[in-house]
Amino acid sequence: SMNLSIGHLSTLIRRETGLSFSEYVTAKRMEDAKKLLCQENLSVEEVAEQVGYRDIAHFSSSFKRIVGVTPSEYQDRSLKR
């Protein structure tokens, strides 16, 4: 509907953010996950599912690679504040 190809959209995203399309989507998912992990009523599994991960191990490893701590560690630290 916007007359943009996937390739052109990816180029625009990289130009604006410095990230590839998949890196951009992953970064947004992790930002959403960090917000959700601050809610004590959600488990790590529920957060993973809500941000679009079916595999909890993949979510956890991606989260640790990007954020620097596991989702559980992040949640524990945020809830202690």
Side-chain angles (χ1 to χ4, degrees):
S1 69
M2 296 177 61
N3 290 328
L4 286 175
S5 69
I6 299 278
H8 186 63
L9 179 60
S10 294
T11 300
L12 293 174
I13 289 171
R14 180 172 299 276
R15 188 178 303 148
E16 290 296 316
T17 66
L19 302 171
S20 71
F21 177 76
S22 63
E23 291 169 334
Y24 179 77
V25 169
T26 300
K28 287 296 186 189
R29 283 177 163 176
M30 294 305 147
E31 288 301 315
D32 289 346
K34 289 193 301 187
K35 290 175 189 171
L36 292 169
L37 286 166
C38 291
Q39 299 177 21
E40 60 185 280
N41 62 327
L42 293 175
S43 69
V44 172
E45 291 82 7
E46 290 170 319
V47 170
E49 186 176 300
Q50 286 190 27
V51 297
Y53 285 86
R54 292 184 188 179
D55 181 357
I56 184 73
H58 183 239
F59 168 71
S60 293
S61 64
S62 295
F63 190 92
K64 185 170 183 175
R65 179 176 43 84
I66 292 166
V67 179
V69 295
T70 67
S72 296
E73 291 170 328
Y74 187 90
Q75 188 173 49
D76 288 345
R77 290 178 186 176
S78 69
L79 294 177
K80 287 181 182 176
R81 292 182 188 166

